[in-house]
Amino acid sequence: STCKAKITEGKVEMDLNYALEQYEIDAGYVLLCQSHPRTPRVFIDFTLGMPSIGSGTITFDLGLVKMISADFE
């Protein structure tokens, strides 16, 4: 799923989940396209794999609605 991301701080609630296995949920992964923040601040990490910009990880703080860091190869 292209909206799969890992929650590193805070909590979200998913409306639906037809793509993640239980072990992925247990490890902190969610589907961002189905998630709603449940804490004032939520940090997410997700890995991009797009040929036009390469692969990397972006970290967001949804409470501030800003990008914290980006690391691309």
Side-chain angles (χ1 to χ4, degrees):
S1 179
T2 59
C3 68
K4 177 181 166 183
K6 185 171 186 172
I7 303 300
T8 59
E9 181 180 318
K11 295 191 183 292
V12 300
E13 183 177 321
M14 281 191 293
D15 290 334
L16 297 172
N17 171 33
Y18 296 120
L20 298 178
E21 300 292 334
Q22 187 60 47
Y23 72 90
E24 294 173 299
I25 296 168
D26 293 343
Y29 287 93
V30 298
L31 300 175
L32 294 178
C33 57
Q34 295 292 325
S35 296
H36 304 278
R38 293 297 178 231
T39 55
R41 294 182 72 176
V42 176
F43 281 44
I44 59 173
D45 284 345
F46 65 95
T47 300
L48 301 175
M50 294 187 249
S52 60
I53 61 171
S55 295
T57 300
I58 298 178
T59 302
F60 286 94
D61 176 348
L62 297 181
L64 300 173
V65 191
K66 73 174 188 177
M67 186 175 7
I68 302 298
S69 66
D71 179 27
F72 290 93
E73 297 175 358

